């Protein structure tokens, strides 16, 4: 089931129906949602990078000790 959103209208229809403010609010909510998702992605990538670097350093140290 789809939900009606102001962004699904043409700009002229938004003006005609008086939904410009609501469309602007929708845009702000969508931007907030995108920022939240990007922050989660940044944190996940940072964590993955830290784990990778830790594993690589460990393997390098094990390799030095093994010789």
């Amino acid at each position: 089931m789809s939900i009606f959103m102001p962004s699904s209208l043409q700009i002229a229809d938004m003006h005609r129906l008086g939904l410009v403010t609501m469309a602007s609010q929708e845009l702000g909510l969508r931007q907030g949602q995108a920022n939240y998702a990007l922050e989660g992605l940044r944190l996940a990538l940072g964590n993955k990078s830290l784990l990778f670097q830790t594993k690589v350093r460990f393997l390098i140290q094990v390799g030095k000790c093994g010789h």
Side-chain angles (χ1 to χ4, degrees):
M1 180 169 138
S2 62
I3 298 173
F4 167 77
M5 300 299 278
S7 63
S8 64
L9 297 172
Q10 298 293 323
I11 198 91
D13 292 329
M14 280 185 223
H15 284 282
R16 183 175 55 81
L17 297 170
L19 296 175
V20 175
T21 301
M22 193 179 290
S24 178
Q25 292 170 340
E26 179 192 349
L27 177 61
L29 290 170
R30 288 180 183 268
Q31 287 173 333
Q33 185 180 25
N35 285 332
Y36 182 76
L38 286 172
E39 180 62 19
L41 183 58
R42 282 186 207 101
L43 290 172
L45 287 172
N47 186 41
K48 193 132 183 115
S49 174
L50 177 65
L51 290 173
F52 179 76
Q53 289 175 3
T54 303
K55 186 175 181 178
V56 168
R57 285 188 184 135
F58 174 76
L59 291 174
I60 289 172
Q61 290 300 321
V62 169
K64 287 182 181 177
C65 293
H67 285 108

